[in-house]
Amino acid sequence: MAPKPTKAEKKIAYDAKLCKLLEEYTQILVVNADNVGSNQLQNIRRGLRGDSIVLMGKNTMMKRSVRMHAESTGNNVYLSLIPLLVGNVGLIFTKGDLKEVSEEVAKYKVGAPARVGLVAPIDVVVPPGNTGLDPSQTSFFQVLNIPTKINKGTVEIITPVELIKKGDKVGSSEAALLSKLGIRPFSYGLVVLSVYDNGSVFSPEVLDLTEDDLVEKFAVGVSMVTALSLAISYPTLAAAPHMFINAYKNVLSVAIETDYSFPEADKVKEYLKDPSKFAVAAVAAPAAGTGGAPAAAAAKEEEKKEEPAEESDDDMGFSLFD
């Protein structure tokens, strides 16, 4: 039988394993493992087997191993992982698509009862309906101010009640009531806190961005650059069209107020001298652009010409009154 490894040997083996993973993988998910059991963690390992490895450990050991690896390789990009190693966290090393791996991890959530002293991760609402409890159990509902009535020998909740708010601690009465009702309101699993990719660290929300979101954010950025450039009169590619248009407007205004002129200004001056030309241009533009009304009138005229004329009595060579 092989001798049991000492703590020092375990630390050395852990350092070697973590350093090896840092060398092989450039993508890491930092996950929170609160309330995750060993069986649940084993299922997650099996689900990610192939292109991902889950590594858990003490934060001090992980920080020490990351520092040692950064010093030995001279690659300080790994040091950006150290501030993320706070709380009950683990590391998922992967070579696959980060979004797909994150979605795969989210599948392994397990329902859990509300235990006393636990901080509620979500709001807990008790739905209305028959509870199946006998009338002697009404004390639980009275303590929590839940409106009830007795229906066919059982306690029935009349209206939905927000029993626990997100962030509040679960009390003994709330835990006992939820246990009696058979409600397991919470679900736990590995939660992605941060994403490390080739030295860059970002929030997991970035993985949910689509191409449309990126285009929208890019458009907002361009509009902000344009507004700033116009405000300080600094030429940029985004602001250039607006600057040219504004300059043309200024030159046109000067030409209208003075004797200076150019072809485009001549046309505007002509309109200003005779405003009735505006109305003529407005009528002519739709007609020239679509040819709708004149074309329809011409077609109707052609139809009338092609229709055969009705024969009269005189054309037949006799009259009905002859």
Side-chain angles (χ1 to χ4, degrees), residues 63 78 89 95 109 120 127 155-156 159 187 197 203 205 208 233 265-266 278 286 291 306:
K63 290 178 180 179
Y78 299 113
V89 297
K95 293 181 180 178
K109 287 191 175 182
V155 179
E156 182 177 328
T159 58
S187 59
D197 188 4
S203 172
E205 283 78 13
D208 298 326
S233 300
D266 290 338
F278 281 111
E306 292 177 2

Side-chain angles (χ1 to χ4, degrees), residues 279-289:
V280 175
V283 172

Side-chain angles (χ1 to χ4, degrees), residues 230-250:
L230 293 174
I232 63 177
S233 300
Y234 183 82
T236 60
L237 188 61
H242 303 278
M243 288 182 169
F244 283 124
I245 292 173
N246 292 338
Y248 171 73
K249 289 179 180 178
N250 293 335

Side-chain angles (χ1 to χ4, degrees), residues 9 298 307:
E9 291 173 341
E307 285 180 1

Side-chain angles (χ1 to χ4, degrees), residues 223-271:
S223 64
M224 292 176 67
V225 170
T226 304
L228 179 61
S229 300
L230 293 174
I232 63 177
S233 300
Y234 183 82
T236 60
L237 188 61
H242 303 278
M243 288 182 169
F244 283 124
I245 292 173
N246 292 338
Y248 171 73
K249 289 179 180 178
N250 293 335
V251 173
L252 187 61
S253 300
V254 172
I256 291 172
E257 295 295 331
T258 63
D259 294 333
Y260 175 77
S261 187
F262 52 94
E264 288 76 9
D266 290 338
K267 188 180 294 185
V268 175
K269 288 182 177 181
E270 187 179 350
Y271 282 143

Side-chain angles (χ1 to χ4, degrees), residues 277-317:
K277 291 186 178 182
F278 281 111
V280 175
V283 172
T290 61
K300 189 173 288 186
E301 218 33 64
E302 286 294 328
E303 289 178 4
K304 286 182 179 180
K305 290 179 181 179
E306 292 177 2
E307 285 180 1
E310 294 182 1
E311 293 182 346
S312 64
D313 292 337
D314 294 335
D315 294 335
M316 296 174 67

Side-chain angles (χ1 to χ4, degrees), residues 31-33 36 40-41 44 54 92 105-106 108 188-192:
V31 294
N32 181 278
V36 177
Q40 185 180 358
L41 189 59
I44 295 172
V54 180
I92 299 179
V105 169
Y108 294 90
Y188 297 106
L190 294 181
V191 179
V192 179

